Amino acid sequence: MATNINRAAVIGSGVMGAGIAAHLANAGIPSLLLDIVPTALTPDEEAKGWTLEHPAVRNRLAANALSGLTRLKPSPLYDDAFLSRITPGNLEDDLGKIRDVDWVIEAVVENLHIKRELLAKIENHWKQGIIVSSNTSGISIDGMTAGRSEAFKRHVLGTHFFNPPRYMKLLEIIPGETTDPDIVARLTEFCGKRLGKGVVVAKDTPNFIANRIGTYGLLVTLQTMIDKGYTVDEVDAVTGPAMGRPKSATFRTLDLVGLDTFVHVANNVYEKLDGGPEKQAFQVPQVLKDMVSFGWIGEKAGQGFYKKVKGEQGSEILSLDLGAMAYGKSRKPASPSLEAAKTAKGAKEKTKALLGAKDRYSGLAWDILKKTLLYSADKVGEIADSIADIDKAMKWGFHWELGPFETWDAIGLVKSVERMEKEGERIPVWVKEWIASGKESFYQHANGKSFYVYKGEYKAADQPAENISLRSLKEQNKIIRANSGASLIDVGDGVACLEFHSPNNAIGADILFMIQQSVEEVRQNYDALIIANQGRNFCVGANIMLLLMEAQNEEWEEIDSIIRIFQNTMMQLKGFEKPVVAAPYHMTLGGGVEACLPADEVCAYAETYYGLVETGVGLIPAGGGCKELALRLSRANPNPEADLQPHINELFMNIGTAKVSTSAHDARKIGYLRASDRIVANQERLIHEAKQSALRLVHEGYVLPPKEKIRVVGADGKAVMQLGAYTMRQSGYISDHDLLIAGKLAHVLAGGDVPAGTMVTEQYMLDLEREAFLSLCGEPKTQQRMQHMLSKGKPLRN
């Protein structure tokens, strides 16, 4: 199916419009960003002698929105250079240019009348075949296309991007009554593949899927809290990670969203419902209206359900007492149910543990959960035909670890429904019929395939061939070898995948051993090896707990052995005569990066945060990270007369400051990824794309590259780096221990005390890495840093 979307136009340069344009730019799609023409000059424009007819004035709103994108944190752009892919303009001069685009996205204010008027103007310039979508969080698509031609309406649909568009996976696509199904299919494919979105198709109902369920859940939670006298802190303790939900839970989430925005979203449903219990459920409680009237609308106002204040001991978080409408010190509640949830592993077990303790907080969790589950079931067929789409929408849009129906399965469908009925709840007819037919769950997994209930029977979940699931392959007995830290899995077509699955995917002896075994297995029986997994992060580095224990016991020979094994294993990967492709994503740090550096090609997810961060725990990279990046600089500057020093200085700063890329594109920009490495927008396609890269290398007749020597900057270059570090110490930017680490790092990157321009072997550089690493392990302040990272999860500055 051809998508043919090569150029776009976004109308409306507010937060959402500019963010959507930025993400289109991330995907390599040039776009126009249009807004209205200003009706008054700014003081700066008047000072320049401009008039309202000046082009810069007429395009001011869109141009200002673009300049603002580079100041936002986190950045909506993978790389600030991508800003050049967006052209600012205005609706009076430039609307006719939409004839040359493939997709027009309207992202103006959430007002039906304004959207109708804009669609009428768009149709005046529209050309057959151009897709037109409205970015709306809840306005009816059919309502806004009323009065438009049938041909135009066939090309119009809703696209509800969640904010911020770069980071939020969910995209709801909402067809109107007459939208061409082929348009829906084309846009679904494009947004999934090119924009990396998780797409669900929603029906044209108020607030669609995620905001309909999410808003109901938040209102139910607030009403339960008011009715039963819980505090803000108690509710957030229950409705966060204890239930498989984000740390922001209920009230921090409302503060982040903005209470005014939430009230608007809730009212959108309330106003469109005819009456009855559902309409009553969407009535905003008076306390929320009062908070909005006071201006207590959340983080953007400095206070909402929480308020940060400065005290004698630093900043302090206060929480709101709804009864007194006054702030007091935030207190973290404790109970058997909360403790049980905290110690349980995974969202399923956490939820079961929370509900199973039968105390005050498990009661709160049950009251909230049962209402949300019943409401979700009641809306099947109305907001979406598929329970799988409802679950995906809540996971991708609200960061729930389990969707409503997955949660229901986790706590026991039959048992929980029996309890609900005893408590007088109304169970949707289709749920009762499903249980009566002998079914005990909404989902079923068998032979590596998933099934879900759909219109009274199990339906196989759509799993595109490009979305390779390692879990499914393992269920199909595709494991070749395995140990506690890693598995080698047959992914078909002569390709084997090495999967890390240790805690946090940290590299230890088990993973290193499996890498060695994988090389031998692939050498004998397969054509190529890919290194990939599907955990929360690709790899957070080496097992520093083991290193700390050995250092505290002064087992220096053991540490030396550990590092030698790591280095030798990475060299085995690099020297393997068959293609190796690594597929990093999300946090890929320290040893995780070093596991990717030997690969012939890296196929990285766009949201990959890639960095050699060992200085944060008082060490330097010693698994080949310094050596490999120095080799790349030497290779990129083959002329013996070329000055390597500026490049080595930049590398020294990046490693010395533990710099982590903000995206895979940024990793390429700072030299951690090569120009030849690939970047993939959709994480679910990552293993497939890595496999395709490996097969391409096989089909091209892969030949192992010859060994190379490394040209180094030597003693003179080392002195330059050390002087830079000394200057930073004198300026107070780094500590004495940082300066010590910097000296060790400079020694390694420079190639030691040899003359500038000396050609050294990879093994020589590895020896320097290992010696520096070993000496730092013996430093008390390094051991303090390792201990602090293990206990606090963040670096210590000492």
Side-chain angles (χ1 to χ4, degrees):
M1 185 188 301
T3 51
N4 298 323
I5 295 177
N6 299 309
R7 186 169 172 78
V10 180
I11 301 176
S13 66
V15 171
M16 283 305 299
I20 292 168
H23 198 53
L24 290 170
N26 288 335
I29 307 297
S31 65
L32 293 168
L33 181 62
L34 308 182
D35 212 317
I36 61 174
V37 174
T39 57
L41 295 171
T42 66
D44 184 55
E45 289 167 345
E46 289 180 344
K48 292 177 180 177
W50 292 353
T51 69
L52 288 174
E53 297 307 309
H54 193 286
V57 175
R58 296 178 71 79
N59 294 341
R60 184 214 304 153
L61 295 180
N64 285 353
L66 292 186
S67 64
L69 289 174
T70 60
R71 296 191 296 271
L72 290 176
K73 300 295 178 187
S75 176
L77 295 159
Y78 292 149
D79 186 328
D80 285 352
F82 294 171
L83 200 64
S84 64
R85 296 171 178 169
I86 309 173
T87 304
N90 68 78
L91 285 170
E92 292 182 16
D93 303 327
D94 303 307
L95 190 57
K97 295 177 182 178
I98 66 170
R99 293 190 186 94
D100 301 321
V101 307
D102 306 301
W103 182 16
V104 177
I105 305 167
E106 168 274 299
V108 299
V109 65
E110 287 283 89
N111 179 289
L112 177 60
H113 177 71
I114 292 173
K115 287 180 180 288
R116 272 183 180 168
E117 285 191 337
L118 180 56
L119 286 178
K121 292 177 182 177
I122 290 171
E123 186 175 11
N124 289 336
H125 300 279
W126 178 75
K127 190 170 63 177
Q128 181 75 23
I130 297 173
I131 298 171
V132 178
S133 73
S134 171
N135 186 69
T136 173
S137 61
I139 295 179
S140 168
I141 307 306
D142 289 333
M144 67 178 75
T145 58
R148 307 275 54 81
S149 71
E150 291 304 311
F152 182 71
K153 286 197 285 188
R154 282 196 295 273
H155 290 75
V156 179
L157 70 170
T159 46
H160 180 203
F161 286 86
F162 274 58
N163 190 35
R166 169 184 165 181
Y167 298 97
M168 292 297 289
K169 183 174 181 178
L170 179 61
L171 172 63
E172 293 176 324
I173 286 184
I174 310 99
E177 188 176 346
T178 58
T179 305
D180 185 341
D182 182 59
I183 298 290
V184 177
R186 284 176 56 200
L187 199 60
T188 297
E189 182 192 40
F190 171 81
C191 292
K193 186 174 180 180
R194 290 291 299 277
L195 300 186
K197 292 298 170 190
V199 179
V200 297
V201 177
K203 296 199 174 186
D204 191 8
T205 57
N207 287 16
F208 314 129
I209 301 174
N211 276 351
R212 183 75 169 267
I213 302 293
T215 302
Y216 176 87
L218 286 165
L219 287 168
V220 160
T221 301
L222 183 57
Q223 195 60 55
T224 302
M225 170 191 174
I226 293 169
D227 292 343
K228 298 196 173 182
Y230 290 95
T231 68
V232 166
D233 292 319
E234 287 177 321
V235 170
D236 273 1
V238 170
T239 59
M243 286 178 67
R245 309 278 175 85
K247 289 182 180 179
S248 56
T250 297
F251 296 115
R252 291 186 194 279
T253 296
L254 283 171
D255 279 356
L256 286 167
V257 169
L259 273 63
D260 52 340
T261 301
F262 176 76
V263 168
H264 170 78
V265 172
N267 283 337
N268 187 56
V269 181
Y270 180 80
E271 291 164 3
K272 291 177 174 61
L273 295 175
D274 294 330
E278 185 181 10
K279 187 178 182 74
Q280 185 178 352
F282 278 91
Q283 186 167 23
V284 176
Q286 186 60 45
V287 66
L288 213 55
K289 295 178 182 176
D290 290 344
M291 290 175 70
V292 172
S293 69
F294 298 156
W296 301 357
I297 57 174
E299 283 210 350
K300 57 190 174 184
Q303 65 186 106
F305 286 99
Y306 292 95
K307 181 180 181 181
K308 182 185 283 189
V309 295
K310 289 185 178 180
E312 294 180 3
Q313 305 299 320
S315 294
E316 184 179 20
I317 302 295
L318 306 180
S319 56
L320 184 63
D321 179 338
L322 294 190
M325 290 303 279
Y327 291 94
K329 187 173 182 179
S330 184
R331 300 185 184 281
K332 198 171 185 179
S335 77
S337 62
L338 292 173
E339 189 59 33
K342 184 178 180 180
T343 56
K345 300 295 183 184
K348 290 183 181 180
E349 296 305 317
K350 284 181 180 295
T351 305
K352 287 164 66 176
L354 178 64
L355 295 176
K358 307 300 181 187
D359 61 19
R360 172 176 168 79
Y361 299 124
S362 63
L364 172 61
W366 171 250
D367 287 340
I368 294 168
L369 199 56
K370 71 175 179 180
K371 294 287 188 184
T372 306
L373 299 183
L374 290 168
Y375 186 74
S376 299
D378 211 38
K379 296 297 110 181
V380 172
E382 179 182 336
I383 62 175
D385 285 327
S386 163
I387 67 164
D389 276 351
I390 292 175
D391 278 349
K392 288 174 185 176
M394 298 316 298
K395 290 191 290 184
W396 295 340
F398 279 75
H399 296 299
W400 292 9
E401 290 188 47
L402 298 173
F405 299 97
E406 292 172 326
T407 300
W408 218 332
D409 279 357
I411 65 175
L413 172 61
V414 176
K415 185 171 67 174
S416 62
V417 166
E418 288 173 355
R419 181 178 173 184
M420 291 173 187
E421 287 185 307
K422 285 180 182 178
E423 293 174 0
E425 301 292 346
R426 184 188 66 82
I427 312 299
V429 172
W430 75 267
V431 175
K432 296 181 72 171
E433 290 176 346
W434 182 250
I435 294 172
S437 70
K439 307 298 193 305
E440 296 184 352
S441 65
F442 292 119
Y443 288 91
Q444 192 175 65
H445 300 279
N447 301 318
K449 293 185 178 180
S450 295
F451 302 85
Y452 63 91
V453 58
Y454 182 78
K455 295 186 176 179
E457 60 185 28
Y458 277 125
K459 176 183 178 182
D462 295 329
Q463 183 70 11
E466 295 86 358
N467 294 5
I468 294 174
S469 166
L470 295 181
R471 173 188 168 187
S472 293
L473 290 172
K474 287 189 283 189
E475 289 175 352
Q476 297 170 53
N477 298 315
K478 297 294 185 180
I479 297 176
I480 304 163
R481 293 174 180 249
N483 65 19
S484 60
S487 298
L488 187 66
I489 303 164
D490 187 341
V491 293
D493 301 313
V495 179
C497 174
L498 175 64
E499 175 201 30
F500 301 166
H501 48 65
S502 63
N504 295 318
N505 289 346
I507 297 176
D510 46 5
I511 287 180
L512 294 175
F513 181 66
M514 186 53 65
I515 293 174
Q516 295 165 9
Q517 286 201 316
S518 297
V519 168
E520 290 306 314
E521 182 71 40
V522 173
R523 176 175 285 125
Q524 297 296 324
N525 300 308
Y526 292 85
D527 298 324
L529 173 68
I530 61 175
I531 303 173
N533 64 71
Q534 292 174 322
R536 187 182 297 272
N537 295 297
F538 177 77
C539 177
V540 298
N543 186 338
I544 61 172
M545 180 178 289
L546 175 63
L547 284 170
L548 177 60
M549 289 171 58
E550 299 292 0
Q552 288 175 334
N553 293 329
E554 299 186 358
E555 297 286 354
W556 311 124
E557 289 185 5
E558 186 63 29
I559 295 176
D560 183 77
S561 175
I562 291 169
I563 302 308
R564 284 180 188 272
I565 292 170
F566 199 142
Q567 292 179 342
N568 291 341
T569 303
M570 295 305 105
M571 289 300 285
Q572 274 186 269
L573 277 177
K574 184 172 182 180
F576 189 33
E577 65 275 12
K578 293 186 176 182
V580 177
V581 176
Y585 61 92
H586 293 160
M587 302 303 291
T588 303
L589 306 175
V593 172
E594 290 178 309
C596 296
L597 289 174
D600 298 291
E601 189 169 293
V602 171
C603 188
Y605 175 44
E607 297 294 346
T608 297
Y609 316 119
Y610 205 71
L612 294 168
V613 297
E614 286 82 353
T615 59
V617 288
L619 299 167
I620 69 160
C626 296
K627 176 268 299 181
E628 192 63 31
L629 292 172
L631 173 58
R632 291 183 183 181
L633 291 181
S634 174
R635 183 189 299 142
N637 295 274
N639 185 346
E641 302 302 317
D643 187 5
L644 274 176
Q645 192 69 52
H647 307 292
I648 287 290
N649 289 348
E650 184 177 358
L651 178 59
F652 173 67
M653 284 296 294
N654 288 340
I655 297 176
T657 58
K659 184 170 185 176
V660 176
S661 73
T662 57
S663 68
H665 291 276
D666 187 45
R668 178 183 283 166
K669 188 175 181 179
I670 62 181
Y672 285 177
L673 290 180
R674 299 160 291 198
S676 58
D677 291 328
R678 297 180 57 208
I679 297 174
V680 176
N682 190 323
Q683 188 181 356
E684 293 178 340
R685 296 174 56 96
L686 185 60
I687 294 177
H688 167 79
E689 296 296 344
K691 177 182 171 182
Q692 297 310 303
S693 290
L695 290 172
R696 188 194 75 247
L697 291 171
V698 171
H699 295 154
E700 289 174 353
Y702 176 80
V703 176
L704 179 66
K707 290 185 177 180
E708 301 172 78
K709 286 194 171 183
I710 305 167
R711 182 164 68 95
V712 297
V713 296
D716 291 344
K718 171 182 166 181
V720 171
M721 287 183 272
Q722 288 178 324
L723 177 60
Y726 176 77
T727 302
M728 291 181 71
R729 176 66 192 100
Q730 292 301 105
S731 301
Y733 291 114
I734 63 175
S735 68
D736 286 338
H737 193 52
D738 292 325
L739 184 62
L740 174 67
I741 298 165
K744 303 281 186 182
L745 178 61
H747 182 74
V748 173
L749 291 176
D753 293 320
V754 298
T758 300
M759 304 296 291
V760 302
T761 65
E762 291 186 62
Q763 188 58 53
Y764 170 83
M765 292 289 285
L766 289 173
D767 290 342
L768 292 180
E769 281 188 9
R770 193 177 64 257
E771 291 163 6
F773 187 94
L774 192 59
S775 69
L776 286 168
C777 281
E779 294 288 336
K781 287 189 175 181
T782 284
Q783 293 177 22
Q784 290 170 13
R785 289 191 180 193
M786 287 194 278
Q787 183 68 59
H788 192 270
M789 179 61 74
L790 288 168
S791 61
K792 304 293 185 181
K794 56 186 179 182
L796 170 67
R797 178 81 182 276
N798 62 352

